Amino acid sequence: MADELAIGIDVGGTKIAAGVVDEQGRLLARGRADTPGTDPAAVLDTIGDLVDELRGEHDDSAGEIGALGIGAAGFVDASGSMVLFAPHLAWRDEPLRDAAAERTGLPVVVENDANASGWAEWRFGAVQGEPHVVLVTLGTGIGGAIVIDGKPYRGRFGLAGEFGHMQVVPDGLPCDCGNRGCWEQYASGRVLTRRGRSAAEEDTALGRRLLDAAGGSVQDIHGSHVTQQARNGDEEAMRWIADVGDWLGVGLASLAAVLDPGVVVVGGGLSDAGDLLLAPARSAFSHTLTGRGYRPEARIVAAGLGPDAGLIGAADLARLTATSGS
Ligand SMILES: [Zn+2]
């Protein structure tokens, strides 16, 4: 049967991941390339090459691959055709959908990467069938997605779910977005990166271990090194993650005040910390929630699909859009 498969692409700041995805969300083949700088034409070329490669490998002679979904870290307009702004890719009003359709001959859907991940978790992952879902992805920043009544909620202009830039601390830490005190300055992997690098500069015991793990250069210390130390039982690293968990829970309580989700799913690299992060988050959430003690509380769970969620979700949205004939 035609059009059961779609190709999903996840465009990140350093890597572009691609895969052939079936209607059960399974990855049948994979491709990967370095992001070739920030020039939109070069990124489009790489996307086109990955699609050619996957079609070749996957023997597309039967024409089973019927759509292409592209998840990108940026603001995607409500019609899914333009990337309005991608901070890490220097894209401004980039008509990616039509350009990719022309390059590949496939119908294309472009989606914000966190929205794509949220959709994948709802379709195939940790929150299947839940009617009201909030997803947060914790990486260098915080991405977000909302599923309401089983549909992705994008807002009027396609920009809903940018939770990372809610202000949680007046006059707080400066953020790349130009404001101060944004949630992602307190509840994302960059907090661990920042604290890890300071500890290395101050030559603390944990700082020295982090520096070793990072190969001796302070700038190569990342949040993942702190998470690893915490999982090995380092109490200071565990405290840092618990601090991030506290801020996570406080912000999620604000989201619950607005959206009243049944479940919050936490993904992204920092979710590797598991209950070291989620237990303090649940506790802070319960203590901050408006009407606490007198209302049902949303569950907070770890994502189920790992780093492939973005491309799986992008492929699935593209397949559904293509087969619905819109
Ligand atoms: Zn911000």
Side-chain angles (χ1 to χ4, degrees), residues 44-45 47-50 52 55 98-106:
L44 181 65
D45 261 350
I47 290 172
D49 291 347
L50 283 166
D52 291 344
R55 280 168 141 172
D98 291 348
E102 193 176 320
R103 170 68 172 76
T104 63
L106 291 169

Side-chain angles (χ1 to χ4, degrees), residues 22-25 119-126 128 305 312 316:
D22 75 7
E23 56 194 348
Q24 261 95 50
W119 182 251
E121 292 291 342
W122 183 80
R123 285 270 294 161
F124 310 114
Q128 280 179 58
L305 296 175
I312 291 171
D316 193 62

Side-chain angles (χ1 to χ4, degrees), residues 7 9 11 44 47 67-86 89 91 94-101 107-113 115-116 154 158 310 313-315 317-319 321:
I7 291 178
I9 304 259
V11 183
L44 181 65
I47 290 172
L68 170 63
I70 303 174
F75 291 174
V76 176
D77 75 335
S79 70
S81 63
M82 303 256 285
V83 178
L84 300 175
F85 172 70
L89 292 165
W91 289 356
E94 194 56 35
L96 181 61
R97 182 180 66 187
D98 291 348
V108 176
V109 165
V110 179
E111 184 58 90
N112 167 270
D113 59 348
N115 287 354
R154 298 188 177 85
L317 284 164
R319 191 181 58 76
T321 303

Side-chain angles (χ1 to χ4, degrees), residues 9-291:
I9 304 259
D10 187 355
V11 183
T14 58
K15 296 271 183 226
I16 300 179
V20 177
V21 179
D22 75 7
E23 56 194 348
Q24 261 95 50
R26 289 176 299 214
L27 258 175
L28 306 183
R30 285 172 186 280
R32 200 172 192 25
D34 291 334
T35 306
T38 60
D39 173 35
V43 173
L44 181 65
D45 261 350
T46 304
I47 290 172
D49 291 347
L50 283 166
V51 169
D52 291 344
E53 182 189 314
L54 286 172
R55 280 168 141 172
E57 254 174 52
H58 198 73
D59 184 13
D60 191 31
S61 53
E64 287 179 307
I65 293 174
L68 170 63
I70 303 174
F75 291 174
V76 176
D77 75 335
S79 70
S81 63
M82 303 256 285
V83 178
L84 300 175
F85 172 70
H88 307 297
L89 292 165
W91 289 356
R92 305 290 181 266
D93 293 332
E94 194 56 35
L96 181 61
R97 182 180 66 187
D98 291 348
E102 193 176 320
R103 170 68 172 76
T104 63
L106 291 169
V108 176
V109 165
V110 179
E111 184 58 90
N112 167 270
D113 59 348
N115 287 354
S117 297
W119 182 251
E121 292 291 342
W122 183 80
R123 285 270 294 161
F124 310 114
V127 290
Q128 280 179 58
E130 289 278 351
H132 297 91
V133 175
V134 163
L135 167 109
V136 291
T137 58
L138 308 181
T140 312
I142 299 180
I146 304 162
V147 176
I148 294 180
D149 290 332
K151 295 197 180 74
Y153 177 78
R154 298 188 177 85
R156 168 65 181 86
F157 304 108
L159 310 181
E162 290 292 333
F163 307 138
H165 301 286
M166 300 189 299
Q167 195 191 45
V168 296
V169 178
D171 294 324
L173 293 165
C175 182
D176 301 341
C177 74
N179 293 337
R180 283 180 169 273
C182 293
W183 192 30
E184 72 177 30
Q185 296 300 324
Y186 300 87
S188 72
R190 77 173 58 215
V191 177
L192 302 179
T193 301
R194 195 166 62 216
R195 293 183 80 164
R197 289 178 185 175
S198 310
E201 277 159 2
E202 288 158 18
D203 200 28
T204 69
L206 174 56
R208 282 194 293 277
R209 280 195 292 281
L210 293 169
L211 197 56
D212 271 354
S217 160
V218 171
Q219 287 313 304
D220 289 336
I221 294 175
H222 291 287
S224 56
H225 295 114
V226 177
T227 303
Q228 191 53 52
Q229 292 296 323
R231 292 175 71 157
N232 293 345
D234 184 284
E235 289 192 6
E236 191 176 5
M238 288 162 78
R239 248 192 334 272
W240 292 359
I241 290 176
D243 288 347
V244 172
D246 281 345
W247 276 111
L248 177 61
V250 168
L252 291 178
S254 292
L255 291 178
V258 179
L259 294 166
D260 188 25
V263 58
V264 174
V265 56
V266 180
L270 186 51
S271 66
D272 291 348
D275 276 344
L276 292 172
L277 177 79
L278 295 186
R282 289 183 187 112
S283 167
F285 178 76
S286 287
H287 283 95
T288 316
L289 198 62
T290 181

